[in-house]
Amino acid sequence: MTNIPSVDLADFLSDDPVRKKKFITEIGNAYEEIGFVSLKNHFLDDELTEKLYNEVEKFFKLPTDVKKGYEREDLGGQRGYVSFGKEHAKGKKEGDLKEFWHFGQEPAADANLTEKYPDNVQVKELPHFNEVGMQAYRMLEKTGIYVLRALALYIGKQENYFDHWASNGNSILRPIHYPPITEEPDNAVRAGAHGDINLITLLMGASAPGLQVKHKDGRWIDAIAGEDELVINVGDMLERHTNNKLRSTIHRVVNPPRELWHTSRYSIPFFMHPRSEMPLDCLEECIDDNNPKQYDDITAGEFLHQRLVEIGLIKK
């Protein structure tokens, strides 16, 4: 395998049961094998993608003191701006060579949540920034719900098993800016090797290459999506919930060749989280004599807090 598999959401949305089954099998097999796919025919159109990247570039070009005015350390970086080098990969002390922004859930009036999400931080210098960000958030969330429906069927659950947990969930849209590299990095990369925390991650096409996925044979594979495709991977919550049936694969963003150090890279992942009270107990459909239960019971909220401490966004 030299690249991640490609799947077509139109197959799953089709009235043809053969096409729907084909999608379920293809994405399930890919997530057992490597944990990543590229997805075509999702709900995020080119016009909205271009608008979001324009707004994101304008934000990160604001003066540093203006950006830092939107940093909310009291929220553990879960809303607003997180400055350069703050986050690091689990088990690593060097900060990643990036700065980023967080848009969070704005739940429906009838969501019946047991928790209160923080308000999104409004950027007064850019009147369309928040509006465009949340439009993209909704389209990625909608795409993610359908992917989770396919995965529910693949593991033997009802199709709508994830709907309640993921709808109005604690999901995050994270525009990232990897600035130009101005000096030899001290053992730091743009994003250190890591697994994602959440259920699934939906990644919009980045402005430059760099994302690599670790194959189970130890090789690093460039994750290159086709034009108009999203890269979607399994996160640690889903791996845990499926008792390692679906794989949360280690991935990284490597530094560019020295001749491209002067360039920026922009990337926008959508981290799909469930409601915090979702139990991540290993599903009985994924436990058998050959694969006994691998994890203790825990809720999504408890697991998220543990990991935010481990990556440096929440201080002990």
Side-chain angles (χ1 to χ4, degrees), residues 268-282:
I268 308 180
F270 179 75
F271 299 114
M272 196 157 196
H273 284 264
R275 298 168 185 242
S276 292
E277 70 269 23
M278 179 183 179
L280 297 181
D281 311 1
C282 298

Side-chain angles (χ1 to χ4, degrees), residues 73-90:
E73 294 190 10
D74 57 310
L75 299 178
Q78 290 307 287
R79 297 292 185 274
Y81 177 65
V82 178
S83 53
F84 185 80
K86 275 276 178 71
E87 185 179 77
H88 56 79
K90 178 183 174 183

Side-chain angles (χ1 to χ4, degrees), residues 31-242:
Y31 283 163
E32 285 201 44
E33 177 67 21
I34 195 169
F36 273 75
V37 298
S38 58
L39 180 88
K40 63 184 72 170
N41 287 315
H42 49 81
F43 295 105
L44 187 70
D45 63 44
D46 291 345
E47 182 181 0
L48 182 53
T49 299
E50 184 176 355
K51 281 183 181 177
L52 181 57
Y53 269 106
N54 286 339
E55 291 296 319
V56 165
E57 287 189 36
K58 284 189 286 187
F59 174 78
F60 286 118
K61 287 176 180 175
L62 291 172
T64 299
D65 60 337
V66 173
K67 290 185 290 186
K68 282 186 174 260
Y70 293 112
E71 193 153 24
R72 292 290 307 277
E73 294 190 10
D74 57 310
L75 299 178
Q78 290 307 287
R79 297 292 185 274
Y81 177 65
V82 178
S83 53
F84 185 80
K86 275 276 178 71
E87 185 179 77
H88 56 79
K90 178 183 174 183
K92 206 168 187 287
K93 66 179 186 297
E94 295 84 11
D96 290 342
L97 305 178
K98 67 188 182 190
E99 57 181 342
F100 53 91
W101 179 271
H102 275 162
F103 295 103
Q105 183 67 266
E106 295 177 353
D110 60 353
N112 295 318
L113 290 169
T114 61
E115 61 189 313
K116 187 180 188 311
Y117 298 136
D119 292 335
N120 275 311
V121 178
Q122 304 296 311
V123 178
K124 63 179 183 293
E125 289 83 2
L126 301 172
H128 304 296
F129 179 78
N130 290 84
E131 176 189 1
V132 171
M134 289 311 297
Q135 287 174 354
Y137 185 109
R138 292 291 169 229
M139 292 301 99
L140 291 164
E141 184 178 48
K142 182 178 179 180
T143 301
I145 291 288
Y146 281 101
V147 169
L148 288 172
R149 287 177 180 175
L151 296 178
L153 292 169
Y154 183 76
I155 61 181
K157 304 294 284 185
Q158 292 292 320
E159 181 172 338
N160 63 355
Y161 167 71
F162 287 105
D163 282 21
H164 168 74
W165 300 118
S167 298
N168 297 292
N170 193 20
S171 299
I172 290 288
L173 179 63
R174 174 188 280 192
I176 306 171
H177 175 222
Y178 303 96
I181 298 172
T182 56
E183 58 185 31
E184 189 73 44
D186 183 15
N187 199 33
V189 294
R190 284 183 157 173
H194 65 284
D196 290 342
I197 300 170
N198 40 288
L199 290 173
I200 56 174
T201 301
L202 297 86
L203 177 67
M204 299 168 60
S207 64
L211 178 63
Q212 294 186 333
V213 176
K214 192 171 187 178
H215 193 271
K216 59 186 178 184
D217 66 9
R219 290 179 298 127
W220 286 99
I221 297 170
D222 291 325
I224 303 171
E227 190 174 355
D228 301 328
E229 292 184 343
L230 298 173
V231 172
I232 306 182
N233 62 281
V234 173
D236 292 352
M237 287 185 183
L238 189 58
E239 179 180 69
R240 187 183 188 110
H241 198 38
T242 62

